[in-house]
Structure formats: structure tokens, C-alpha cells
Amino acid sequence: MARTVWDSSVGKKTVMAVSGIVMLLYLVAHMIGNLKIYFGAGEFNSYAHWLRTVGEPFMHYEWTLWLIRAVLVVAVVAHATAAYQLSRRDIKARPSKYVHKKARTSYATRTMRWGGIILGLFIVWHLLDLTTGTAHPGGFQAGHPYQNVVDTFSTWYGNVVYIVAMLALGLHIRHGFWSAAQTLGAGGRTRDRVLKTAANVLALLLTAGFIAVPVGVMTGVVS
């Protein structure tokens, strides 16, 4: 049954919707945590330490954090795989180009594929920069995330990469939230306007919230 559901277009869209919601919930929590940087190094570093001790003593040190990471990896892989296979299926279904050259979809819809690629590459860079320290521009300090963040956003390329990725994220969420609602049956004539408004507001808040961190470093508010 699982294979039958996965092989169907509806099944793949459902997987994309559910995995997208999982990632969206994480992004909301992650953004709120990021904004703690405005309360100073002590507050931000304490929050980062708390993430590693959640669930203790029942859960061992960092077990909860690794569990969250595992769920996110599954969600990202499932989302990307379903998106790629649906894209290939769509191309095979209409190998010839549309007669009408004028685009009839929104900008966010037309850039979903490239936006997904940009976000995928960004995740790799983000992890190498602030998690492993491999691509960190300064002297990476384990256990001192505040200083690591300041180091990253003290470079022009760190700001450019992050802001471009967050703009792509905003467009992705704007279209993806409404699309997921339709897939899961939450849409309707009376609810579509509310869902589209919610998608726009959510995309705007998340984009602004994430970009507020590099902006804070660039303006000297966070230093």
C-alpha cells in the first residue's frame, strides 16, 4: 500500500505537503531562537546550550537535538525526492513547450524549482559554516554560537548568501503553504483567500525574521 501511494502523483504531493509542514514548524521555532541574538551573547549561548540538554535526564546530552535533526533530514530528503519525481513526471507528460509563451503562473510558482536548489545548497553551506565550522570565515568556537554568527555576518559573502537564500525561502513558503493546504484538502472557495493571505504573511514574517540577524550584525546592533 505504501508503494502504491508513493507511486501516485497524489501520494507524492501528500508527502511534499506533510514534509513541508514539518520543515515549516522547524523554521518558525528556528527563527524565534535566532532572534534571541538581540538579547546578547549570554542569552543566545544559553539558548544554544539548552537545545543540547532538552529532555535530560531521560534523554542523554544532545539526543533530543539529534532526533530533531534526523526528522528534518527525512523531511528534506522526502520533500526533495517527491518534488524531483513530480517534476520529471510533469515534463514527460508534456514534452513539447506550451503554445502560449506568456507565463500564467506567479513568480513564486515559476521559481519553486530553482528556489529548492538554492535552499538545498544553502543548507549544506549553513551546516559547514555554523555547525561543523568547516567553512567558517573566522576561528570557529565550539560552544560560542553568538561569536560564530557575528563572524559569519561580518563578511560580505556571508550576508549575500544568507539573504539570497532567505528571499528564496520566502517565495518557497508563499507558494508551498497554499499548495500544501490544497493537497491536504484544506482549500475551498471561502477559505482560499484566507489561506493565500496566511501564506503571504507567514512568508513575509519568516523572511524578515531570518534576515534581521545579518542586518543586526551589519548595522552594529549585534556585535
Side-chain angles (χ1 to χ4, degrees):
M1 182 181 294
R3 182 58 185 268
T4 301
V5 172
W6 173 252
D7 287 341
S8 68
S9 295
V10 173
K12 293 183 188 299
K13 289 180 180 179
T14 302
V15 169
M16 284 192 67
V18 174
S19 59
I21 290 173
V22 170
M23 291 186 287
L24 182 60
L25 291 174
Y26 167 77
L27 286 171
V28 171
H30 189 43
M31 181 201 69
I32 294 173
N34 281 0
L35 292 177
K36 288 181 177 292
I37 200 168
Y38 279 92
F39 294 94
E43 179 82 11
F44 193 70
N45 290 341
S46 295
Y47 164 69
H49 177 72
W50 172 80
L51 288 176
R52 288 159 173 76
T53 60
V54 173
E56 287 187 339
F58 179 74
M59 298 291 282
H60 193 61
Y61 183 75
E62 286 194 343
W63 277 13
T64 302
L65 184 60
W66 277 108
L67 179 61
I68 293 173
R69 288 169 175 169
V71 172
L72 284 172
V73 168
V74 172
V76 170
V77 171
H79 196 80
T81 302
Y84 174 76
Q85 293 183 356
L86 282 171
S87 177
R88 298 300 302 172
R89 184 171 294 182
D90 184 49
I91 292 173
K92 289 180 179 180
R94 47 175 181 80
S96 59
K97 295 182 178 180
Y98 287 121
V99 175
H100 299 284
K101 294 183 179 180
K102 185 177 180 180
R104 295 183 177 182
T105 55
S106 68
Y107 182 77
T109 303
R110 297 197 303 273
T111 56
M112 281 295 283
R113 293 172 186 171
W114 282 109
I117 293 173
I118 291 172
L119 291 173
L121 294 174
F122 167 75
I123 290 173
V124 174
W125 173 81
H126 195 52
L127 291 175
L128 292 176
D129 176 27
L130 294 175
T131 300
T132 66
T134 307
H136 191 66
F140 184 78
Q141 302 179 49
H144 295 82
Y146 182 93
Q147 187 58 48
N148 293 332
V149 170
V150 171
D151 288 342
T152 293
F153 297 129
S154 294
T155 63
W156 67 268
Y157 60 87
N159 290 313
V160 170
V161 170
Y162 193 87
I163 292 174
V164 168
M166 292 307 101
L167 292 175
L169 176 66
L171 290 175
H172 212 76
I173 291 173
R174 180 176 177 270
H175 175 75
F177 180 84
W178 184 82
S179 180
Q182 300 299 311
T183 298
L184 297 177
R189 291 185 178 180
T190 58
R191 293 191 291 265
D192 278 355
R193 181 176 296 179
V194 175
L195 288 171
K196 287 182 178 179
T197 301
N200 290 334
V201 171
L202 188 59
L204 180 61
L205 288 177
L206 281 171
T207 303
F210 279 116
I211 290 179
V213 177
V215 169
V217 176
M218 284 189 289
T219 56
V221 176
V222 176
S223 62

